[in-house]
mmCIF file with all atom_site columns, all heavy atoms in Angstrom:
data_model
loop_
_atom_site.group_PDB
_atom_site.id
_atom_site.type_symbol
_atom_site.label_atom_id
_atom_site.label_alt_id
_atom_site.label_comp_id
_atom_site.label_asym_id
_atom_site.label_entity_id
_atom_site.label_seq_id
_atom_site.pdbx_PDB_ins_code
_atom_site.Cartn_x
_atom_site.Cartn_y
_atom_site.Cartn_z
_atom_site.occupancy
_atom_site.B_iso_or_equiv
_atom_site.pdbx_formal_charge
_atom_site.auth_seq_id
_atom_site.auth_comp_id
_atom_site.auth_asym_id
_atom_site.auth_atom_id
_atom_site.pdbx_PDB_model_num
ATOM 1   N N   . ARG A 1 1  ? 50.295 -52.419 12.302 1.00 94.00 ? 8  ARG A N   1
ATOM 2   C CA  . ARG A 1 1  ? 50.890 -53.659 12.810 1.00 94.00 ? 8  ARG A CA  1
ATOM 3   C C   . ARG A 1 1  ? 51.539 -54.474 11.694 1.00 94.00 ? 8  ARG A C   1
ATOM 4   O O   . ARG A 1 1  ? 52.560 -55.137 11.909 1.00 94.00 ? 8  ARG A O   1
ATOM 5   C CB  . ARG A 1 1  ? 49.829 -54.482 13.526 1.00 94.00 ? 8  ARG A CB  1
ATOM 6   C CG  . ARG A 1 1  ? 50.343 -55.780 14.119 1.00 94.00 ? 8  ARG A CG  1
ATOM 7   C CD  . ARG A 1 1  ? 49.302 -56.477 14.981 1.00 94.00 ? 8  ARG A CD  1
ATOM 8   N NE  . ARG A 1 1  ? 49.772 -57.770 15.432 1.00 94.00 ? 8  ARG A NE  1
ATOM 9   C CZ  . ARG A 1 1  ? 50.614 -57.959 16.441 1.00 94.00 ? 8  ARG A CZ  1
ATOM 10  N NH1 . ARG A 1 1  ? 51.066 -56.917 17.097 1.00 94.00 ? 8  ARG A NH1 1
ATOM 11  N NH2 . ARG A 1 1  ? 50.989 -59.174 16.791 1.00 94.00 ? 8  ARG A NH2 1
ATOM 12  N N   . ASP A 1 2  ? 50.975 -54.413 10.494 1.00 96.00 ? 9  ASP A N   1
ATOM 13  C CA  . ASP A 1 2  ? 51.501 -55.232 9.403  1.00 96.00 ? 9  ASP A CA  1
ATOM 14  C C   . ASP A 1 2  ? 52.919 -54.826 9.002  1.00 96.00 ? 9  ASP A C   1
ATOM 15  O O   . ASP A 1 2  ? 53.718 -55.679 8.601  1.00 96.00 ? 9  ASP A O   1
ATOM 16  C CB  . ASP A 1 2  ? 50.574 -55.169 8.194  1.00 96.00 ? 9  ASP A CB  1
ATOM 17  C CG  . ASP A 1 2  ? 49.282 -55.948 8.421  1.00 96.00 ? 9  ASP A CG  1
ATOM 18  O OD1 . ASP A 1 2  ? 49.254 -56.777 9.355  1.00 96.00 ? 9  ASP A OD1 1
ATOM 19  O OD2 . ASP A 1 2  ? 48.312 -55.724 7.688  1.00 96.00 ? 9  ASP A OD2 1
ATOM 20  N N   . SER A 1 3  ? 53.253 -53.551 9.093  1.00 97.00 ? 10 SER A N   1
ATOM 21  C CA  . SER A 1 3  ? 54.626 -53.142 8.783  1.00 97.00 ? 10 SER A CA  1
ATOM 22  C C   . SER A 1 3  ? 55.605 -53.747 9.781  1.00 97.00 ? 10 SER A C   1
ATOM 23  O O   . SER A 1 3  ? 56.719 -54.146 9.412  1.00 97.00 ? 10 SER A O   1
ATOM 24  C CB  . SER A 1 3  ? 54.744 -51.617 8.782  1.00 97.00 ? 10 SER A CB  1
ATOM 25  O OG  . SER A 1 3  ? 54.200 -51.062 7.601  1.00 97.00 ? 10 SER A OG  1
ATOM 26  N N   . LEU A 1 4  ? 55.196 -53.833 11.041 1.00 96.00 ? 11 LEU A N   1
ATOM 27  C CA  . LEU A 1 4  ? 56.041 -54.472 12.047 1.00 96.00 ? 11 LEU A CA  1
ATOM 28  C C   . LEU A 1 4  ? 56.196 -55.958 11.752 1.00 96.00 ? 11 LEU A C   1
ATOM 29  O O   . LEU A 1 4  ? 57.292 -56.515 11.835 1.00 96.00 ? 11 LEU A O   1
ATOM 30  C CB  . LEU A 1 4  ? 55.433 -54.267 13.439 1.00 96.00 ? 11 LEU A CB  1
ATOM 31  C CG  . LEU A 1 4  ? 56.148 -54.939 14.608 1.00 96.00 ? 11 LEU A CG  1
ATOM 32  C CD1 . LEU A 1 4  ? 57.573 -54.430 14.741 1.00 96.00 ? 11 LEU A CD1 1
ATOM 33  C CD2 . LEU A 1 4  ? 55.376 -54.711 15.907 1.00 96.00 ? 11 LEU A CD2 1
ATOM 34  N N   . VAL A 1 5  ? 55.092 -56.603 11.388 1.00 95.00 ? 12 VAL A N   1
ATOM 35  C CA  . VAL A 1 5  ? 55.122 -58.030 11.071 1.00 95.00 ? 12 VAL A CA  1
ATOM 36  C C   . VAL A 1 5  ? 56.049 -58.305 9.888  1.00 95.00 ? 12 VAL A C   1
ATOM 37  O O   . VAL A 1 5  ? 56.891 -59.219 9.926  1.00 95.00 ? 12 VAL A O   1
ATOM 38  C CB  . VAL A 1 5  ? 53.693 -58.533 10.756 1.00 95.00 ? 12 VAL A CB  1
ATOM 39  C CG1 . VAL A 1 5  ? 53.723 -59.930 10.149 1.00 95.00 ? 12 VAL A CG1 1
ATOM 40  C CG2 . VAL A 1 5  ? 52.842 -58.523 12.018 1.00 95.00 ? 12 VAL A CG2 1
ATOM 41  N N   . VAL A 1 6  ? 55.918 -57.512 8.820  1.00 97.00 ? 13 VAL A N   1
ATOM 42  C CA  . VAL A 1 6  ? 56.730 -57.713 7.619  1.00 97.00 ? 13 VAL A CA  1
ATOM 43  C C   . VAL A 1 6  ? 58.195 -57.420 7.910  1.00 97.00 ? 13 VAL A C   1
ATOM 44  O O   . VAL A 1 6  ? 59.093 -58.160 7.469  1.00 97.00 ? 13 VAL A O   1
ATOM 45  C CB  . VAL A 1 6  ? 56.205 -56.840 6.466  1.00 97.00 ? 13 VAL A CB  1
ATOM 46  C CG1 . VAL A 1 6  ? 57.150 -56.893 5.277  1.00 97.00 ? 13 VAL A CG1 1
ATOM 47  C CG2 . VAL A 1 6  ? 54.806 -57.301 6.049  1.00 97.00 ? 13 VAL A CG2 1
ATOM 48  N N   . SER A 1 7  ? 58.469 -56.372 8.657  1.00 97.00 ? 14 SER A N   1
ATOM 49  C CA  . SER A 1 7  ? 59.856 -56.026 8.979  1.00 97.00 ? 14 SER A CA  1
ATOM 50  C C   . SER A 1 7  ? 60.522 -57.116 9.814  1.00 97.00 ? 14 SER A C   1
ATOM 51  O O   . SER A 1 7  ? 61.696 -57.442 9.607  1.00 97.00 ? 14 SER A O   1
ATOM 52  C CB  . SER A 1 7  ? 59.908 -54.688 9.720  1.00 97.00 ? 14 SER A CB  1
ATOM 53  O OG  . SER A 1 7  ? 59.414 -53.644 8.907  1.00 97.00 ? 14 SER A OG  1
ATOM 54  N N   . GLN A 1 8  ? 59.773 -57.690 10.762 1.00 96.00 ? 15 GLN A N   1
ATOM 55  C CA  . GLN A 1 8  ? 60.327 -58.781 11.556 1.00 96.00 ? 15 GLN A CA  1
ATOM 56  C C   . GLN A 1 8  ? 60.596 -59.998 10.685 1.00 96.00 ? 15 GLN A C   1
ATOM 57  O O   . GLN A 1 8  ? 61.605 -60.702 10.878 1.00 96.00 ? 15 GLN A O   1
ATOM 58  C CB  . GLN A 1 8  ? 59.366 -59.146 12.690 1.00 96.00 ? 15 GLN A CB  1
ATOM 59  C CG  . GLN A 1 8  ? 59.958 -60.158 13.676 1.00 96.00 ? 15 GLN A CG  1
ATOM 60  C CD  . GLN A 1 8  ? 61.162 -59.596 14.414 1.00 96.00 ? 15 GLN A CD  1
ATOM 61  O OE1 . GLN A 1 8  ? 61.055 -58.614 15.130 1.00 96.00 ? 15 GLN A OE1 1
ATOM 62  N NE2 . GLN A 1 8  ? 62.317 -60.222 14.227 1.00 96.00 ? 15 GLN A NE2 1
ATOM 63  N N   . LEU A 1 9  ? 59.717 -60.258 9.727  1.00 95.00 ? 16 LEU A N   1
ATOM 64  C CA  . LEU A 1 9  ? 59.942 -61.363 8.801  1.00 95.00 ? 16 LEU A CA  1
ATOM 65  C C   . LEU A 1 9  ? 61.225 -61.157 8.012  1.00 95.00 ? 16 LEU A C   1
ATOM 66  O O   . LEU A 1 9  ? 62.000 -62.090 7.796  1.00 95.00 ? 16 LEU A O   1
ATOM 67  C CB  . LEU A 1 9  ? 58.757 -61.508 7.846  1.00 95.00 ? 16 LEU A CB  1
ATOM 68  C CG  . LEU A 1 9  ? 58.874 -62.631 6.809  1.00 95.00 ? 16 LEU A CG  1
ATOM 69  C CD1 . LEU A 1 9  ? 58.860 -63.991 7.493  1.00 95.00 ? 16 LEU A CD1 1
ATOM 70  C CD2 . LEU A 1 9  ? 57.746 -62.558 5.799  1.00 95.00 ? 16 LEU A CD2 1
ATOM 71  N N   . VAL A 1 10 ? 61.476 -59.924 7.584  1.00 97.00 ? 17 VAL A N   1
ATOM 72  C CA  . VAL A 1 10 ? 62.708 -59.609 6.859  1.00 97.00 ? 17 VAL A CA  1
ATOM 73  C C   . VAL A 1 10 ? 63.922 -59.922 7.729  1.00 97.00 ? 17 VAL A C   1
ATOM 74  O O   . VAL A 1 10 ? 64.877 -60.576 7.282  1.00 97.00 ? 17 VAL A O   1
ATOM 75  C CB  . VAL A 1 10 ? 62.725 -58.134 6.421  1.00 97.00 ? 17 VAL A CB  1
ATOM 76  C CG1 . VAL A 1 10 ? 64.093 -57.755 5.858  1.00 97.00 ? 17 VAL A CG1 1
ATOM 77  C CG2 . VAL A 1 10 ? 61.638 -57.863 5.380  1.00 97.00 ? 17 VAL A CG2 1
ATOM 78  N N   . ALA A 1 11 ? 63.891 -59.472 8.984  1.00 97.00 ? 18 ALA A N   1
ATOM 79  C CA  . ALA A 1 11 ? 65.011 -59.714 9.889  1.00 97.00 ? 18 ALA A CA  1
ATOM 80  C C   . ALA A 1 11 ? 65.224 -61.210 10.113 1.00 97.00 ? 18 ALA A C   1
ATOM 81  O O   . ALA A 1 11 ? 66.359 -61.706 10.057 1.00 97.00 ? 18 ALA A O   1
ATOM 82  C CB  . ALA A 1 11 ? 64.765 -59.004 11.218 1.00 97.00 ? 18 ALA A CB  1
ATOM 83  N N   . ASP A 1 12 ? 64.146 -61.941 10.332 1.00 94.00 ? 19 ASP A N   1
ATOM 84  C CA  . ASP A 1 12 ? 64.259 -63.380 10.588 1.00 94.00 ? 19 ASP A CA  1
ATOM 85  C C   . ASP A 1 12 ? 64.757 -64.121 9.353  1.00 94.00 ? 19 ASP A C   1
ATOM 86  O O   . ASP A 1 12 ? 65.535 -65.077 9.460  1.00 94.00 ? 19 ASP A O   1
ATOM 87  C CB  . ASP A 1 12 ? 62.911 -63.943 11.021 1.00 94.00 ? 19 ASP A CB  1
ATOM 88  C CG  . ASP A 1 12 ? 62.464 -63.426 12.385 1.00 94.00 ? 19 ASP A CG  1
ATOM 89  O OD1 . ASP A 1 12 ? 63.310 -62.886 13.122 1.00 94.00 ? 19 ASP A OD1 1
ATOM 90  O OD2 . ASP A 1 12 ? 61.259 -63.539 12.698 1.00 94.00 ? 19 ASP A OD2 1
ATOM 91  N N   . ALA A 1 13 ? 64.302 -63.686 8.185  1.00 94.00 ? 20 ALA A N   1
ATOM 92  C CA  . ALA A 1 13 ? 64.740 -64.337 6.947  1.00 94.00 ? 20 ALA A CA  1
ATOM 93  C C   . ALA A 1 13 ? 66.230 -64.108 6.708  1.00 94.00 ? 20 ALA A C   1
ATOM 94  O O   . ALA A 1 13 ? 66.962 -65.037 6.342  1.00 94.00 ? 20 ALA A O   1
ATOM 95  C CB  . ALA A 1 13 ? 63.922 -63.807 5.769  1.00 94.00 ? 20 ALA A CB  1
ATOM 96  N N   . LEU A 1 14 ? 66.697 -62.894 6.927  1.00 97.00 ? 21 LEU A N   1
ATOM 97  C CA  . LEU A 1 14 ? 68.123 -62.607 6.773  1.00 97.00 ? 21 LEU A CA  1
ATOM 98  C C   . LEU A 1 14 ? 68.943 -63.438 7.753  1.00 97.00 ? 21 LEU A C   1
ATOM 99  O O   . LEU A 1 14 ? 69.990 -64.004 7.391  1.00 97.00 ? 21 LEU A O   1
ATOM 100 C CB  . LEU A 1 14 ? 68.387 -61.120 7.000  1.00 97.00 ? 21 LEU A CB  1
ATOM 101 C CG  . LEU A 1 14 ? 67.972 -60.176 5.867  1.00 97.00 ? 21 LEU A CG  1
ATOM 102 C CD1 . LEU A 1 14 ? 68.058 -58.731 6.335  1.00 97.00 ? 21 LEU A CD1 1
ATOM 103 C CD2 . LEU A 1 14 ? 68.847 -60.380 4.625  1.00 97.00 ? 21 LEU A CD2 1
ATOM 104 N N   . ALA A 1 15 ? 68.478 -63.525 8.998  1.00 96.00 ? 22 ALA A N   1
ATOM 105 C CA  . ALA A 1 15 ? 69.196 -64.305 10.001 1.00 96.00 ? 22 ALA A CA  1
ATOM 106 C C   . ALA A 1 15 ? 69.261 -65.782 9.634  1.00 96.00 ? 22 ALA A C   1
ATOM 107 O O   . ALA A 1 15 ? 70.189 -66.489 10.034 1.00 96.00 ? 22 ALA A O   1
ATOM 108 C CB  . ALA A 1 15 ? 68.531 -64.136 11.373 1.00 96.00 ? 22 ALA A CB  1
ATOM 109 N N   . SER A 1 16 ? 68.291 -66.247 8.855  1.00 94.00 ? 23 SER A N   1
ATOM 110 C CA  . SER A 1 16 ? 68.248 -67.657 8.458  1.00 94.00 ? 23 SER A CA  1
ATOM 111 C C   . SER A 1 16 ? 68.993 -67.924 7.154  1.00 94.00 ? 23 SER A C   1
ATOM 112 O O   . SER A 1 16 ? 69.012 -69.051 6.678  1.00 94.00 ? 23 SER A O   1
ATOM 113 C CB  . SER A 1 16 ? 66.794 -68.112 8.318  1.00 94.00 ? 23 SER A CB  1
ATOM 114 O OG  . SER A 1 16 ? 66.144 -68.047 9.562  1.00 94.00 ? 23 SER A OG  1
ATOM 115 N N   . GLY A 1 17 ? 69.580 -66.883 6.572  1.00 95.00 ? 24 GLY A N   1
ATOM 116 C CA  . GLY A 1 17 ? 70.401 -67.078 5.382  1.00 95.00 ? 24 GLY A CA  1
ATOM 117 C C   . GLY A 1 17 ? 69.757 -66.731 4.061  1.00 95.00 ? 24 GLY A C   1
ATOM 118 O O   . GLY A 1 17 ? 70.338 -66.979 3.009  1.00 95.00 ? 24 GLY A O   1
ATOM 119 N N   . ALA A 1 18 ? 68.557 -66.177 4.074  1.00 94.00 ? 25 ALA A N   1
ATOM 120 C CA  . ALA A 1 18 ? 67.902 -65.802 2.817  1.00 94.00 ? 25 ALA A CA  1
ATOM 121 C C   . ALA A 1 18 ? 68.625 -64.630 2.173  1.00 94.00 ? 25 ALA A C   1
ATOM 122 O O   . ALA A 1 18 ? 69.171 -63.756 2.859  1.00 94.00 ? 25 ALA A O   1
ATOM 123 C CB  . ALA A 1 18 ? 66.445 -65.440 3.082  1.00 94.00 ? 25 ALA A CB  1
ATOM 124 N N   . SER A 1 19 ? 68.614 -64.591 0.861  1.00 95.00 ? 26 SER A N   1
ATOM 125 C CA  . SER A 1 19 ? 69.279 -63.500 0.141  1.00 95.00 ? 26 SER A CA  1
ATOM 126 C C   . SER A 1 19 ? 68.349 -62.295 0.055  1.00 95.00 ? 26 SER A C   1
ATOM 127 O O   . SER A 1 19 ? 67.123 -62.442 0.008  1.00 95.00 ? 26 SER A O   1
ATOM 128 C CB  . SER A 1 19 ? 69.661 -63.942 -1.269 1.00 95.00 ? 26 SER A CB  1
ATOM 129 O OG  . SER A 1 19 ? 68.505 -64.041 -2.083 1.00 95.00 ? 26 SER A OG  1
ATOM 130 N N   . PRO A 1 20 ? 68.903 -61.094 0.024  1.00 96.00 ? 27 PRO A N   1
ATOM 131 C CA  . PRO A 1 20 ? 68.074 -59.891 -0.106 1.00 96.00 ? 27 PRO A CA  1
ATOM 132 C C   . PRO A 1 20 ? 67.167 -59.917 -1.333 1.00 96.00 ? 27 PRO A C   1
ATOM 133 O O   . PRO A 1 20 ? 66.015 -59.488 -1.274 1.00 96.00 ? 27 PRO A O   1
ATOM 134 C CB  . PRO A 1 20 ? 69.095 -58.760 -0.183 1.00 96.00 ? 27 PRO A CB  1
ATOM 135 C CG  . PRO A 1 20 ? 70.301 -59.301 0.517  1.00 96.00 ? 27 PRO A CG  1
ATOM 136 C CD  . PRO A 1 20 ? 70.326 -60.767 0.189  1.00 96.00 ? 27 PRO A CD  1
ATOM 137 N N   . SER A 1 21 ? 67.672 -60.429 -2.451 1.00 94.00 ? 28 SER A N   1
ATOM 138 C CA  . SER A 1 21 ? 66.859 -60.435 -3.678 1.00 94.00 ? 28 SER A CA  1
ATOM 139 C C   . SER A 1 21 ? 65.653 -61.348 -3.537 1.00 94.00 ? 28 SER A C   1
ATOM 140 O O   . SER A 1 21 ? 64.557 -61.024 -4.004 1.00 94.00 ? 28 SER A O   1
ATOM 141 C CB  . SER A 1 21 ? 67.714 -60.866 -4.877 1.00 94.00 ? 28 SER A CB  1
ATOM 142 O OG  . SER A 1 21 ? 68.236 -62.175 -4.673 1.00 94.00 ? 28 SER A OG  1
ATOM 143 N N   . ASP A 1 22 ? 65.835 -62.499 -2.880 1.00 94.00 ? 29 ASP A N   1
ATOM 144 C CA  . ASP A 1 22 ? 64.699 -63.402 -2.675 1.00 94.00 ? 29 ASP A CA  1
ATOM 145 C C   . ASP A 1 22 ? 63.677 -62.790 -1.724 1.00 94.00 ? 29 ASP A C   1
ATOM 146 O O   . ASP A 1 22 ? 62.462 -62.930 -1.919 1.00 94.00 ? 29 ASP A O   1
ATOM 147 C CB  . ASP A 1 22 ? 65.172 -64.749 -2.126 1.00 94.00 ? 29 ASP A CB  1
ATOM 148 C CG  . ASP A 1 22 ? 65.777 -65.638 -3.194 1.00 94.00 ? 29 ASP A CG  1
ATOM 149 O OD1 . ASP A 1 22 ? 65.319 -65.560 -4.348 1.00 94.00 ? 29 ASP A OD1 1
ATOM 150 O OD2 . ASP A 1 22 ? 66.708 -66.393 -2.889 1.00 94.00 ? 29 ASP A OD2 1
ATOM 151 N N   . ILE A 1 23 ? 64.159 -62.118 -0.701 1.00 95.00 ? 30 ILE A N   1
ATOM 152 C CA  . ILE A 1 23 ? 63.241 -61.487 0.252  1.00 95.00 ? 30 ILE A CA  1
ATOM 153 C C   . ILE A 1 23 ? 62.410 -60.422 -0.453 1.00 95.00 ? 30 ILE A C   1
ATOM 154 O O   . ILE A 1 23 ? 61.180 -60.386 -0.321 1.00 95.00 ? 30 ILE A O   1
ATOM 155 C CB  . ILE A 1 23 ? 64.030 -60.871 1.420  1.00 95.00 ? 30 ILE A CB  1
ATOM 156 C CG1 . ILE A 1 23 ? 64.679 -61.971 2.257  1.00 95.00 ? 30 ILE A CG1 1
ATOM 157 C CG2 . ILE A 1 23 ? 63.106 -60.028 2.303  1.00 95.00 ? 30 ILE A CG2 1
ATOM 158 C CD1 . ILE A 1 23 ? 65.641 -61.465 3.312  1.00 95.00 ? 30 ILE A CD1 1
ATOM 159 N N   . LYS A 1 24 ? 63.061 -59.557 -1.212 1.00 93.00 ? 31 LYS A N   1
ATOM 160 C CA  . LYS A 1 24 ? 62.346 -58.482 -1.905 1.00 93.00 ? 31 LYS A CA  1
ATOM 161 C C   . LYS A 1 24 ? 61.387 -59.060 -2.937 1.00 93.00 ? 31 LYS A C   1
ATOM 162 O O   . LYS A 1 24 ? 60.309 -58.514 -3.188 1.00 93.00 ? 31 LYS A O   1
ATOM 163 C CB  . LYS A 1 24 ? 63.352 -57.524 -2.553 1.00 93.00 ? 31 LYS A CB  1
ATOM 164 C CG  . LYS A 1 24 ? 64.136 -56.696 -1.548 1.00 93.00 ? 31 LYS A CG  1
ATOM 165 C CD  . LYS A 1 24 ? 65.183 -55.822 -2.213 1.00 93.00 ? 31 LYS A CD  1
ATOM 166 C CE  . LYS A 1 24 ? 64.562 -54.615 -2.909 1.00 93.00 ? 31 LYS A CE  1
ATOM 167 N NZ  . LYS A 1 24 ? 64.025 -53.630 -1.954 1.00 93.00 ? 31 LYS A NZ  1
ATOM 168 N N   . HIS A 1 25 ? 61.774 -60.176 -3.543 1.00 92.00 ? 32 HIS A N   1
ATOM 169 C CA  . HIS A 1 25 ? 60.925 -60.828 -4.537 1.00 92.00 ? 32 HIS A CA  1
ATOM 170 C C   . HIS A 1 25 ? 59.628 -61.327 -3.914 1.00 92.00 ? 32 HIS A C   1
ATOM 171 O O   . HIS A 1 25 ? 58.552 -61.265 -4.519 1.00 92.00 ? 32 HIS A O   1
ATOM 172 C CB  . HIS A 1 25 ? 61.695 -61.994 -5.155 1.00 92.00 ? 32 HIS A CB  1
ATOM 173 C CG  . HIS A 1 25 ? 60.908 -62.780 -6.177 1.00 92.00 ? 32 HIS A CG  1
ATOM 174 N ND1 . HIS A 1 25 ? 60.146 -63.866 -5.818 1.00 92.00 ? 32 HIS A ND1 1
ATOM 175 C CD2 . HIS A 1 25 ? 60.761 -62.629 -7.512 1.00 92.00 ? 32 HIS A CD2 1
ATOM 176 C CE1 . HIS A 1 25 ? 59.566 -64.364 -6.906 1.00 92.00 ? 32 HIS A CE1 1
ATOM 177 N NE2 . HIS A 1 25 ? 59.913 -63.639 -7.938 1.00 92.00 ? 32 HIS A NE2 1
ATOM 178 N N   . ASP A 1 26 ? 59.718 -61.831 -2.663 1.00 90.00 ? 33 ASP A N   1
ATOM 179 C CA  . ASP A 1 26 ? 58.573 -62.477 -2.025 1.00 90.00 ? 33 ASP A CA  1
ATOM 180 C C   . ASP A 1 26 ? 57.688 -61.547 -1.215 1.00 90.00 ? 33 ASP A C   1
ATOM 181 O O   . ASP A 1 26 ? 56.526 -61.883 -0.940 1.00 90.00 ? 33 ASP A O   1
ATOM 182 C CB  . ASP A 1 26 ? 59.059 -63.599 -1.103 1.00 90.00 ? 33 ASP A CB  1
ATOM 183 C CG  . ASP A 1 26 ? 59.727 -64.739 -1.858 1.00 90.00 ? 33 ASP A CG  1
ATOM 184 O OD1 . ASP A 1 26 ? 59.378 -64.937 -3.028 1.00 90.00 ? 33 ASP A OD1 1
ATOM 185 O OD2 . ASP A 1 26 ? 60.588 -65.412 -1.278 1.00 90.00 ? 33 ASP A OD2 1
ATOM 186 N N   . LEU A 1 27 ? 58.190 -60.388 -0.832 1.00 93.00 ? 34 LEU A N   1
ATOM 187 C CA  . LEU A 1 27 ? 57.436 -59.518 0.063  1.00 93.00 ? 34 LEU A CA  1
ATOM 188 C C   . LEU A 1 27 ? 56.058 -59.099 -0.464 1.00 93.00 ? 34 LEU A C   1
ATOM 189 O O   . LEU A 1 27 ? 55.115 -59.003 0.326  1.00 93.00 ? 34 LEU A O   1
ATOM 190 C CB  . LEU A 1 27 ? 58.258 -58.280 0.427  1.00 93.00 ? 34 LEU A CB  1
ATOM 191 C CG  . LEU A 1 27 ? 59.328 -58.499 1.495  1.00 93.00 ? 34 LEU A CG  1
ATOM 192 C CD1 . LEU A 1 27 ? 59.992 -57.174 1.843  1.00 93.00 ? 34 LEU A CD1 1
ATOM 193 C CD2 . LEU A 1 27 ? 58.751 -59.139 2.745  1.00 93.00 ? 34 LEU A CD2 1
ATOM 194 N N   . PRO A 1 28 ? 55.885 -58.826 -1.762 1.00 92.00 ? 35 PRO A N   1
ATOM 195 C CA  . PRO A 1 28 ? 54.544 -58.439 -2.216 1.00 92.00 ? 35 PRO A CA  1
ATOM 196 C C   . PRO A 1 28 ? 53.464 -59.457 -1.878 1.00 92.00 ? 35 PRO A C   1
ATOM 197 O O   . PRO A 1 28 ? 52.342 -59.086 -1.523 1.00 92.00 ? 35 PRO A O   1
ATOM 198 C CB  . PRO A 1 28 ? 54.705 -58.293 -3.735 1.00 92.00 ? 35 PRO A CB  1
ATOM 199 C CG  . PRO A 1 28 ? 56.155 -57.966 -3.931 1.00 92.00 ? 35 PRO A CG  1
ATOM 200 C CD  . PRO A 1 28 ? 56.872 -58.737 -2.859 1.00 92.00 ? 35 PRO A CD  1
#
């Protein structure tokens, strides 16, 4: 379930204007 949760967070963050580098930086 956590992979689904994290993947949805990635999609929502991109839709809100976050940069790929910031997303990858924060995911850990």
Side-chain angles (χ1 to χ4, degrees):
R8 181 172 175 79
D9 287 343
S10 283
L11 177 61
V12 168
V13 172
S14 298
Q15 188 64 61
L16 180 66
V17 171
D19 293 344
L21 285 170
S23 296
S26 73
S28 60
D29 282 327
I30 293 172
K31 290 176 75 70
H32 178 270
D33 295 332
L34 281 185

